[in-house]
Structures are given as structure tokens and as C-alpha cells.
Amino acid sequence: MLILLPPSEGKTPATSGDPVNLAELWLPELSAARKRVLTRLVSMCRRGSARSVADSLGVLGLSEGQRGEIARNAELPDAPAAPAAEVYTGVLYEALGAETLDEAARKWLFETAVVFSGLWGAVRLGDRIPAYRCSVGVTLPAPVGGLTAYWKKNLPKALDPAAADGPVLDLRSGAYAAMWTPPAAAASRAAALRVLHERVVDGVPKRSVVSHFNKATKGRLVRALAVEGAAPEGVDDLVMALRDLGFTVEEQPGPAGGVRRLDIVVAEL
């Protein structure tokens, strides 16, 4: 089973430790593709003039108050690395609380969850990476270019085989979902999940996607599966497991033979 996660915008830098070793990240066959992105990002951020810093801020979609992110990116090859579970922060990862899981649940999590990244492509939560700033919506200098298209080209050869043996649960946001989709042969064993917040307005239930509820629920859902040590053989088993864990799951119509669509409904308390 694979659970596909988005990264978090916020990241906690490691304070000590060796730098990232691209050959030790999950799917080492992506090392060359990762190195190209890393090299272009670092080179862009190392240019020292005020104008080049302003240009880098623009490319990365950052504000003037985030100039420190440019300096951090410039030092990525030598920066201390830590497990991705410690580097990624934010609502989803706080709700997941990987650091408070017991050994068995952490092992399950590190073998199952995959984080999609504009810089690394895809990594496991146990992979050691430095804190960085580079979303998948960025367009880097040639020959990398737009990162969505770049990873859409480079990920399938490495990732398709990894998704072949079990169900895939996709919790990514739209931008990161565009980086890779399960191949046709695995589509029937894949499910894309969204979280709907339900509240009653003038006596009528209304449902909508609310960012905080969406991220927190996804984090709690992954945590619950990890604690359970879930091992579903297909999407039907996964739906049953989630319902047994107390989640309200509704299946929505999807394309015939394609990725199935699941809604998790969270009622306002």
C-alpha cells in the first residue's frame, strides 16, 4: 500500500547532522533527476546581487520578508538533513504526529507514506532531507523548466512499479496530484480522497472543503491507519478499514476503470 501526501509549506530545519545523500533517498533511480533540480535551485539562489535575490523571490513565489529562504536554498547541499517526518510541519503533519507513534506504527508509516515534492520528486517520511523552499508550481532555469511537467516525465519509470503491488490512497492537493497518476494497470486499485466539512445552515446540511479540516483530518486518518497497522488488499478493504476506524466514507462516481473517488465527511461539532 502507498499513501500519497503533499508536502508542507512550513518546514523545520535540522540543527545538526550530515547533509542529504541523494543515493539514499527512496527510489534512488531518481538521483540524477533530483540532482538536476537541486543544482538549478541552488545556482539560482546563490547569485549574490540584490536583483538576483529579487528574481529568485519572484521565481519561488516568496515575499520580501522571506529572503532568508533564498539563503537557505543556497546552502542546501551542505545543510544538515533530518527525517522528512521531522522536517515537514503544518496542520497535516501535526495531526499525524509521527514522533509520538510507537515503533511498529512508525515503521508502517515510513514504509507506506510518500511525500511529493517539487525538489525531491517523491520521498518517504524516513528519508533524510534538509529544509527547503521550492513548490511544484515553480519554473526553474533550463533544462529543468516547470517542475510539474518535469516530474510528470521523470517519476513514472521509478514510481509505477512501486504502486503495482497494492492499493494507493491519494491525499495530495491538486498541484502535487498532477506530478504523477497511477498507471492504467493500477488505477482500479487506487482511490483519491477529499475531506468535506459538513455544517448545518438554517437547518440544511451544507458541505464544503475547508483547508484546516481537510489537512487535520488527513493527518488523523493516516495516523489511525498507522496505529492499526492496516494492510488492505484493495480499495474496498481500505474503505472498510476507514469505517471501522470511525471515519464517515462515501464513494462518489468516478470514471469507469479509473481511480475511485472517496469523500470523508467531517461534521461540525
Side-chain angles (χ1 to χ4, degrees), residues 156-192:
K157 186 175 180 180
L159 194 49
D160 285 5
D165 295 332
V168 175
L169 180 60
D170 191 352
L171 307 184
R172 297 172 295 171
S173 54
Y176 289 92
M179 294 172 64
W180 176 83
T181 54
S188 63
R189 298 191 300 277

PDB file of all heavy atoms in Angstrom, residues 156-192:
ATOM      1  N   PRO A 156       7.250   8.439 -13.501  1.00  0.00           N
ATOM      2  CA  PRO A 156       6.585   7.161 -13.782  1.00  0.00           C
ATOM      3  C   PRO A 156       7.504   5.942 -13.841  1.00  0.00           C
ATOM      4  O   PRO A 156       7.151   4.887 -13.305  1.00  0.00           O
ATOM      5  CB  PRO A 156       5.900   7.413 -15.143  1.00  0.00           C
ATOM      6  CG  PRO A 156       5.623   8.877 -15.136  1.00  0.00           C
ATOM      7  CD  PRO A 156       6.815   9.485 -14.455  1.00  0.00           C
ATOM      8  N   LYS A 157       8.655   6.067 -14.463  1.00  0.00           N
ATOM      9  CA  LYS A 157       9.520   4.894 -14.620  1.00  0.00           C
ATOM     10  C   LYS A 157       9.907   4.310 -13.271  1.00  0.00           C
ATOM     11  O   LYS A 157      10.005   3.088 -13.099  1.00  0.00           O
ATOM     12  CB  LYS A 157      10.768   5.261 -15.423  1.00  0.00           C
ATOM     13  CG  LYS A 157      11.649   4.065 -15.752  1.00  0.00           C
ATOM     14  CD  LYS A 157      12.799   4.466 -16.644  1.00  0.00           C
ATOM     15  CE  LYS A 157      13.665   3.247 -16.971  1.00  0.00           C
ATOM     16  NZ  LYS A 157      14.814   3.629 -17.859  1.00  0.00           N
ATOM     17  N   ALA A 158      10.126   5.181 -12.285  1.00  0.00           N
ATOM     18  CA  ALA A 158      10.523   4.721 -10.958  1.00  0.00           C
ATOM     19  C   ALA A 158       9.324   4.396 -10.075  1.00  0.00           C
ATOM     20  O   ALA A 158       9.349   3.430  -9.298  1.00  0.00           O
ATOM     21  CB  ALA A 158      11.391   5.789 -10.283  1.00  0.00           C
ATOM     22  N   LEU A 159       8.270   5.187 -10.182  1.00  0.00           N
ATOM     23  CA  LEU A 159       7.160   5.089  -9.237  1.00  0.00           C
ATOM     24  C   LEU A 159       6.091   4.081  -9.666  1.00  0.00           C
ATOM     25  O   LEU A 159       5.458   3.455  -8.801  1.00  0.00           O
ATOM     26  CB  LEU A 159       6.537   6.474  -9.039  1.00  0.00           C
ATOM     27  CG  LEU A 159       5.587   6.674  -7.863  1.00  0.00           C
ATOM     28  CD1 LEU A 159       6.170   6.139  -6.572  1.00  0.00           C
ATOM     29  CD2 LEU A 159       5.229   8.150  -7.725  1.00  0.00           C
ATOM     30  N   ASP A 160       5.888   3.906 -10.946  1.00  0.00           N
ATOM     31  CA  ASP A 160       4.855   2.967 -11.393  1.00  0.00           C
ATOM     32  C   ASP A 160       5.052   1.565 -10.802  1.00  0.00           C
ATOM     33  O   ASP A 160       4.084   0.964 -10.300  1.00  0.00           O
ATOM     34  CB  ASP A 160       4.816   2.889 -12.921  1.00  0.00           C
ATOM     35  CG  ASP A 160       4.174   4.108 -13.566  1.00  0.00           C
ATOM     36  OD1 ASP A 160       3.833   5.058 -12.823  1.00  0.00           O
ATOM     37  OD2 ASP A 160       4.046   4.132 -14.804  1.00  0.00           O
ATOM     38  N   PRO A 161       6.272   1.006 -10.838  1.00  0.00           N
ATOM     39  CA  PRO A 161       6.438  -0.335 -10.250  1.00  0.00           C
ATOM     40  C   PRO A 161       6.155  -0.364  -8.757  1.00  0.00           C
ATOM     41  O   PRO A 161       5.663  -1.372  -8.230  1.00  0.00           O
ATOM     42  CB  PRO A 161       7.918  -0.658 -10.536  1.00  0.00           C
ATOM     43  CG  PRO A 161       8.284   0.198 -11.701  1.00  0.00           C
ATOM     44  CD  PRO A 161       7.508   1.462 -11.507  1.00  0.00           C
ATOM     45  N   ALA A 162       6.458   0.723  -8.047  1.00  0.00           N
ATOM     46  CA  ALA A 162       6.237   0.768  -6.605  1.00  0.00           C
ATOM     47  C   ALA A 162       4.754   0.766  -6.263  1.00  0.00           C
ATOM     48  O   ALA A 162       4.374   0.402  -5.149  1.00  0.00           O
ATOM     49  CB  ALA A 162       6.902   2.007  -6.012  1.00  0.00           C
ATOM     50  N   ALA A 163       3.921   1.174  -7.215  1.00  0.00           N
ATOM     51  CA  ALA A 163       2.473   1.247  -6.977  1.00  0.00           C
ATOM     52  C   ALA A 163       1.738   0.008  -7.481  1.00  0.00           C
ATOM     53  O   ALA A 163       0.513  -0.047  -7.420  1.00  0.00           O
ATOM     54  CB  ALA A 163       1.903   2.492  -7.664  1.00  0.00           C
ATOM     55  N   ALA A 164       2.482  -0.979  -7.933  1.00  0.00           N
ATOM     56  CA  ALA A 164       1.863  -2.104  -8.617  1.00  0.00           C
ATOM     57  C   ALA A 164       1.323  -3.176  -7.680  1.00  0.00           C
ATOM     58  O   ALA A 164       0.476  -3.968  -8.074  1.00  0.00           O
ATOM     59  CB  ALA A 164       2.863  -2.735  -9.585  1.00  0.00           C
ATOM     60  N   ASP A 165       1.794  -3.215  -6.435  1.00  0.00           N
ATOM     61  CA  ASP A 165       1.504  -4.373  -5.587  1.00  0.00           C
ATOM     62  C   ASP A 165       0.341  -4.197  -4.617  1.00  0.00           C
ATOM     63  O   ASP A 165      -0.041  -5.149  -3.939  1.00  0.00           O
ATOM     64  CB  ASP A 165       2.754  -4.748  -4.783  1.00  0.00           C
ATOM     65  CG  ASP A 165       3.891  -5.212  -5.684  1.00  0.00           C
ATOM     66  OD1 ASP A 165       3.593  -5.733  -6.774  1.00  0.00           O
ATOM     67  OD2 ASP A 165       5.055  -5.050  -5.290  1.00  0.00           O
ATOM     68  N   GLY A 166      -0.206  -3.014  -4.493  1.00  0.00           N
ATOM     69  CA  GLY A 166      -1.273  -2.838  -3.522  1.00  0.00           C
ATOM     70  C   GLY A 166      -2.059  -1.582  -3.780  1.00  0.00           C
ATOM     71  O   GLY A 166      -1.796  -0.854  -4.743  1.00  0.00           O
ATOM     72  N   PRO A 167      -3.011  -1.289  -2.906  1.00  0.00           N
ATOM     73  CA  PRO A 167      -3.827  -0.091  -3.110  1.00  0.00           C
ATOM     74  C   PRO A 167      -3.021   1.190  -2.924  1.00  0.00           C
ATOM     75  O   PRO A 167      -2.016   1.213  -2.209  1.00  0.00           O
ATOM     76  CB  PRO A 167      -4.916  -0.207  -2.034  1.00  0.00           C
ATOM     77  CG  PRO A 167      -4.337  -1.101  -0.999  1.00  0.00           C
ATOM     78  CD  PRO A 167      -3.441  -2.046  -1.718  1.00  0.00           C
ATOM     79  N   VAL A 168      -3.471   2.241  -3.581  1.00  0.00           N
ATOM     80  CA  VAL A 168      -2.871   3.569  -3.482  1.00  0.00           C
ATOM     81  C   VAL A 168      -3.947   4.516  -2.992  1.00  0.00           C
ATOM     82  O   VAL A 168      -5.020   4.616  -3.596  1.00  0.00           O
ATOM     83  CB  VAL A 168      -2.329   4.040  -4.851  1.00  0.00           C
ATOM     84  CG1 VAL A 168      -1.810   5.473  -4.751  1.00  0.00           C
ATOM     85  CG2 VAL A 168      -1.234   3.110  -5.349  1.00  0.00           C
ATOM     86  N   LEU A 169      -3.660   5.219  -1.893  1.00  0.00           N
ATOM     87  CA  LEU A 169      -4.589   6.215  -1.351  1.00  0.00           C
ATOM     88  C   LEU A 169      -3.986   7.584  -1.557  1.00  0.00           C
ATOM     89  O   LEU A 169      -2.943   7.913  -0.988  1.00  0.00           O
ATOM     90  CB  LEU A 169      -4.845   5.964   0.132  1.00  0.00           C
ATOM     91  CG  LEU A 169      -5.799   6.936   0.824  1.00  0.00           C
ATOM     92  CD1 LEU A 169      -7.181   6.899   0.173  1.00  0.00           C
ATOM     93  CD2 LEU A 169      -5.901   6.642   2.313  1.00  0.00           C
ATOM     94  N   ASP A 170      -4.633   8.402  -2.364  1.00  0.00           N
ATOM     95  CA  ASP A 170      -4.087   9.703  -2.762  1.00  0.00           C
ATOM     96  C   ASP A 170      -4.710  10.813  -1.918  1.00  0.00           C
ATOM     97  O   ASP A 170      -5.892  11.109  -2.035  1.00  0.00           O
ATOM     98  CB  ASP A 170      -4.373   9.940  -4.251  1.00  0.00           C
ATOM     99  CG  ASP A 170      -3.618  11.124  -4.806  1.00  0.00           C
ATOM    100  OD1 ASP A 170      -2.987  11.858  -4.018  1.00  0.00           O
ATOM    101  OD2 ASP A 170      -3.652  11.308  -6.038  1.00  0.00           O
ATOM    102  N   LEU A 171      -3.882  11.428  -1.070  1.00  0.00           N
ATOM    103  CA  LEU A 171      -4.328  12.537  -0.227  1.00  0.00           C
ATOM    104  C   LEU A 171      -3.704  13.856  -0.670  1.00  0.00           C
ATOM    105  O   LEU A 171      -3.753  14.845   0.063  1.00  0.00           O
ATOM    106  CB  LEU A 171      -3.950  12.269   1.240  1.00  0.00           C
ATOM    107  CG  LEU A 171      -4.400  10.943   1.848  1.00  0.00           C
ATOM    108  CD1 LEU A 171      -4.036  10.888   3.330  1.00  0.00           C
ATOM    109  CD2 LEU A 171      -5.888  10.716   1.673  1.00  0.00           C
ATOM    110  N   ARG A 172      -3.116  13.901  -1.845  1.00  0.00           N
ATOM    111  CA  ARG A 172      -2.408  15.097  -2.299  1.00  0.00           C
ATOM    112  C   ARG A 172      -3.369  16.204  -2.719  1.00  0.00           C
ATOM    113  O   ARG A 172      -4.499  15.949  -3.118  1.00  0.00           O
ATOM    114  CB  ARG A 172      -1.511  14.758  -3.500  1.00  0.00           C
ATOM    115  CG  ARG A 172      -0.415  13.764  -3.202  1.00  0.00           C
ATOM    116  CD  ARG A 172       0.299  13.332  -4.480  1.00  0.00           C
ATOM    117  NE  ARG A 172      -0.591  12.596  -5.374  1.00  0.00           N
ATOM    118  CZ  ARG A 172      -0.285  12.245  -6.617  1.00  0.00           C
ATOM    119  NH1 ARG A 172       0.903  12.571  -7.112  1.00  0.00           N
ATOM    120  NH2 ARG A 172      -1.155  11.568  -7.359  1.00  0.00           N
ATOM    121  N   SER A 173      -2.875  17.430  -2.647  1.00  0.00           N
ATOM    122  CA  SER A 173      -3.584  18.574  -3.213  1.00  0.00           C
ATOM    123  C   SER A 173      -3.412  18.551  -4.728  1.00  0.00           C
ATOM    124  O   SER A 173      -2.558  17.837  -5.272  1.00  0.00           O
ATOM    125  CB  SER A 173      -3.032  19.872  -2.629  1.00  0.00           C
ATOM    126  OG  SER A 173      -1.622  19.934  -2.801  1.00  0.00           O
ATOM    127  N   GLY A 174      -4.213  19.357  -5.415  1.00  0.00           N
ATOM    128  CA  GLY A 174      -4.250  19.295  -6.876  1.00  0.00           C
ATOM    129  C   GLY A 174      -2.918  19.483  -7.558  1.00  0.00           C
ATOM    130  O   GLY A 174      -2.570  18.764  -8.506  1.00  0.00           O
ATOM    131  N   ALA A 175      -2.121  20.470  -7.115  1.00  0.00           N
ATOM    132  CA  ALA A 175      -0.849  20.758  -7.770  1.00  0.00           C
ATOM    133  C   ALA A 175       0.087  19.568  -7.689  1.00  0.00           C
ATOM    134  O   ALA A 175       0.795  19.247  -8.662  1.00  0.00           O
ATOM    135  CB  ALA A 175      -0.203  21.983  -7.128  1.00  0.00           C
ATOM    136  N   TYR A 176       0.120  18.891  -6.550  1.00  0.00           N
ATOM    137  CA  TYR A 176       1.018  17.751  -6.384  1.00  0.00           C
ATOM    138  C   TYR A 176       0.432  16.482  -7.006  1.00  0.00           C
ATOM    139  O   TYR A 176       1.179  15.600  -7.448  1.00  0.00           O
ATOM    140  CB  TYR A 176       1.359  17.564  -4.903  1.00  0.00           C
ATOM    141  CG  TYR A 176       2.262  18.673  -4.427  1.00  0.00           C
ATOM    142  CD1 TYR A 176       1.744  19.829  -3.865  1.00  0.00           C
ATOM    143  CD2 TYR A 176       3.639  18.606  -4.623  1.00  0.00           C
ATOM    144  CE1 TYR A 176       2.563  20.876  -3.485  1.00  0.00           C
ATOM    145  CE2 TYR A 176       4.465  19.650  -4.252  1.00  0.00           C
ATOM    146  CZ  TYR A 176       3.926  20.788  -3.681  1.00  0.00           C
ATOM    147  OH  TYR A 176       4.746  21.837  -3.327  1.00  0.00           O
ATOM    148  N   ALA A 177      -0.886  16.402  -7.082  1.00  0.00           N
ATOM    149  CA  ALA A 177      -1.506  15.258  -7.740  1.00  0.00           C
ATOM    150  C   ALA A 177      -1.156  15.232  -9.226  1.00  0.00           C
ATOM    151  O   ALA A 177      -1.124  14.164  -9.845  1.00  0.00           O
ATOM    152  CB  ALA A 177      -3.019  15.291  -7.553  1.00  0.00           C
ATOM    153  N   ALA A 178      -0.882  16.399  -9.798  1.00  0.00           N
ATOM    154  CA  ALA A 178      -0.563  16.466 -11.229  1.00  0.00           C
ATOM    155  C   ALA A 178       0.820  15.923 -11.544  1.00  0.00           C
ATOM    156  O   ALA A 178       1.141  15.675 -12.714  1.00  0.00           O
ATOM    157  CB  ALA A 178      -0.675  17.912 -11.716  1.00  0.00           C
ATOM    158  N   MET A 179       1.666  15.725 -10.532  1.00  0.00           N
ATOM    159  CA  MET A 179       3.024  15.229 -10.777  1.00  0.00           C
ATOM    160  C   MET A 179       3.050  13.786 -11.259  1.00  0.00           C
ATOM    161  O   MET A 179       3.927  13.387 -12.017  1.00  0.00           O
ATOM    162  CB  MET A 179       3.859  15.326  -9.494  1.00  0.00           C
ATOM    163  CG  MET A 179       4.136  16.733  -9.028  1.00  0.00           C
ATOM    164  SD  MET A 179       4.919  16.751  -7.386  1.00  0.00           S
ATOM    165  CE  MET A 179       6.481  15.934  -7.707  1.00  0.00           C
ATOM    166  N   TRP A 180       2.093  12.994 -10.780  1.00  0.00           N
ATOM    167  CA  TRP A 180       2.068  11.558 -11.114  1.00  0.00           C
ATOM    168  C   TRP A 180       0.678  11.015 -10.867  1.00  0.00           C
ATOM    169  O   TRP A 180       0.036  11.355  -9.876  1.00  0.00           O
ATOM    170  CB  TRP A 180       3.078  10.803 -10.253  1.00  0.00           C
ATOM    171  CG  TRP A 180       3.074   9.314 -10.453  1.00  0.00           C
ATOM    172  CD1 TRP A 180       3.719   8.618 -11.436  1.00  0.00           C
ATOM    173  CD2 TRP A 180       2.385   8.338  -9.658  1.00  0.00           C
ATOM    174  NE1 TRP A 180       3.474   7.271 -11.300  1.00  0.00           N
ATOM    175  CE2 TRP A 180       2.664   7.059 -10.217  1.00  0.00           C
ATOM    176  CE3 TRP A 180       1.563   8.417  -8.530  1.00  0.00           C
ATOM    177  CZ2 TRP A 180       2.148   5.890  -9.690  1.00  0.00           C
ATOM    178  CZ3 TRP A 180       1.041   7.235  -8.001  1.00  0.00           C
ATOM    179  CH2 TRP A 180       1.341   5.988  -8.577  1.00  0.00           C
ATOM    180  N   THR A 181       0.211  10.186 -11.772  1.00  0.00           N
ATOM    181  CA  THR A 181      -1.049   9.477 -11.577  1.00  0.00           C
ATOM    182  C   THR A 181      -0.784   7.989 -11.729  1.00  0.00           C
ATOM    183  O   THR A 181       0.090   7.569 -12.504  1.00  0.00           O
ATOM    184  CB  THR A 181      -2.105   9.913 -12.613  1.00  0.00           C
ATOM    185  OG1 THR A 181      -1.575   9.751 -13.934  1.00  0.00           O
ATOM    186  CG2 THR A 181      -2.491  11.367 -12.405  1.00  0.00           C
ATOM    187  N   PRO A 182      -1.496   7.155 -10.993  1.00  0.00           N
ATOM    188  CA  PRO A 182      -1.277   5.710 -11.118  1.00  0.00           C
ATOM    189  C   PRO A 182      -1.467   5.257 -12.559  1.00  0.00           C
ATOM    190  O   PRO A 182      -2.358   5.746 -13.255  1.00  0.00           O
ATOM    191  CB  PRO A 182      -2.351   5.116 -10.200  1.00  0.00           C
ATOM    192  CG  PRO A 182      -2.650   6.197  -9.215  1.00  0.00           C
ATOM    193  CD  PRO A 182      -2.506   7.477  -9.981  1.00  0.00           C
ATOM    194  N   PRO A 183      -0.634   4.329 -13.029  1.00  0.00           N
ATOM    195  CA  PRO A 183      -0.797   3.831 -14.395  1.00  0.00           C
ATOM    196  C   PRO A 183      -2.121   3.107 -14.552  1.00  0.00           C
ATOM    197  O   PRO A 183      -2.742   2.685 -13.567  1.00  0.00           O
ATOM    198  CB  PRO A 183       0.394   2.873 -14.566  1.00  0.00           C
ATOM    199  CG  PRO A 183       0.738   2.453 -13.169  1.00  0.00           C
ATOM    200  CD  PRO A 183       0.455   3.646 -12.309  1.00  0.00           C
ATOM    201  N   ALA A 184      -2.548   2.956 -15.787  1.00  0.00           N
ATOM    202  CA  ALA A 184      -3.849   2.346 -16.060  1.00  0.00           C
ATOM    203  C   ALA A 184      -3.997   0.989 -15.391  1.00  0.00           C
ATOM    204  O   ALA A 184      -5.065   0.646 -14.877  1.00  0.00           O
ATOM    205  CB  ALA A 184      -4.051   2.224 -17.567  1.00  0.00           C
ATOM    206  N   ALA A 185      -2.910   0.210 -15.366  1.00  0.00           N
ATOM    207  CA  ALA A 185      -2.981  -1.135 -14.786  1.00  0.00           C
ATOM    208  C   ALA A 185      -3.258  -1.101 -13.288  1.00  0.00           C
ATOM    209  O   ALA A 185      -3.766  -2.072 -12.719  1.00  0.00           O
ATOM    210  CB  ALA A 185      -1.671  -1.878 -15.057  1.00  0.00           C
ATOM    211  N   ALA A 186      -2.921   0.016 -12.625  1.00  0.00           N
ATOM    212  CA  ALA A 186      -3.106   0.117 -11.173  1.00  0.00           C
ATOM    213  C   ALA A 186      -4.275   1.010 -10.790  1.00  0.00           C
ATOM    214  O   ALA A 186      -4.588   1.140  -9.603  1.00  0.00           O
ATOM    215  CB  ALA A 186      -1.825   0.647 -10.524  1.00  0.00           C
ATOM    216  N   ALA A 187      -4.927   1.636 -11.767  1.00  0.00           N
ATOM    217  CA  ALA A 187      -5.967   2.621 -11.460  1.00  0.00           C
ATOM    218  C   ALA A 187      -7.111   2.032 -10.652  1.00  0.00           C
ATOM    219  O   ALA A 187      -7.666   2.682  -9.762  1.00  0.00           O
ATOM    220  CB  ALA A 187      -6.505   3.233 -12.755  1.00  0.00           C
ATOM    221  N   SER A 188      -7.488   0.795 -10.920  1.00  0.00           N
ATOM    222  CA  SER A 188      -8.605   0.195 -10.210  1.00  0.00           C
ATOM    223  C   SER A 188      -8.274  -0.082  -8.747  1.00  0.00           C
ATOM    224  O   SER A 188      -9.169  -0.339  -7.940  1.00  0.00           O
ATOM    225  CB  SER A 188      -9.031  -1.106 -10.897  1.00  0.00           C
ATOM    226  OG  SER A 188      -7.985  -2.060 -10.857  1.00  0.00           O
ATOM    227  N   ARG A 189      -6.997  -0.035  -8.395  1.00  0.00           N
ATOM    228  CA  ARG A 189      -6.573  -0.264  -7.011  1.00  0.00           C
ATOM    229  C   ARG A 189      -6.210   1.050  -6.317  1.00  0.00           C
ATOM    230  O   ARG A 189      -5.569   1.047  -5.267  1.00  0.00           O
ATOM    231  CB  ARG A 189      -5.371  -1.210  -6.975  1.00  0.00           C
ATOM    232  CG  ARG A 189      -5.660  -2.595  -7.531  1.00  0.00           C
ATOM    233  CD  ARG A 189      -4.545  -3.572  -7.230  1.00  0.00           C
ATOM    234  NE  ARG A 189      -3.282  -3.148  -7.789  1.00  0.00           N
ATOM    235  CZ  ARG A 189      -2.903  -3.346  -9.051  1.00  0.00           C
ATOM    236  NH1 ARG A 189      -3.723  -3.952  -9.895  1.00  0.00           N
ATOM    237  NH2 ARG A 189      -1.730  -2.933  -9.477  1.00  0.00           N
ATOM    238  N   ALA A 190      -6.601   2.177  -6.929  1.00  0.00           N
ATOM    239  CA  ALA A 190      -6.260   3.495  -6.388  1.00  0.00           C
ATOM    240  C   ALA A 190      -7.520   4.272  -6.042  1.00  0.00           C
ATOM    241  O   ALA A 190      -8.567   4.119  -6.677  1.00  0.00           O
ATOM    242  CB  ALA A 190      -5.426   4.280  -7.401  1.00  0.00           C
ATOM    243  N   ALA A 191      -7.396   5.117  -5.018  1.00  0.00           N
ATOM    244  CA  ALA A 191      -8.518   5.965  -4.611  1.00  0.00           C
ATOM    245  C   ALA A 191      -7.993   7.343  -4.261  1.00  0.00           C
ATOM    246  O   ALA A 191      -6.982   7.475  -3.573  1.00  0.00           O
ATOM    247  CB  ALA A 191      -9.255   5.367  -3.419  1.00  0.00           C
ATOM    248  N   ALA A 192      -8.663   8.375  -4.765  1.00  0.00           N
ATOM    249  CA  ALA A 192      -8.351   9.762  -4.410  1.00  0.00           C
ATOM    250  C   ALA A 192      -9.367  10.214  -3.367  1.00  0.00           C
ATOM    251  O   ALA A 192     -10.572   9.999  -3.530  1.00  0.00           O
ATOM    252  CB  ALA A 192      -8.421  10.658  -5.640  1.00  0.00           C
TER     253      ALA A 192
END
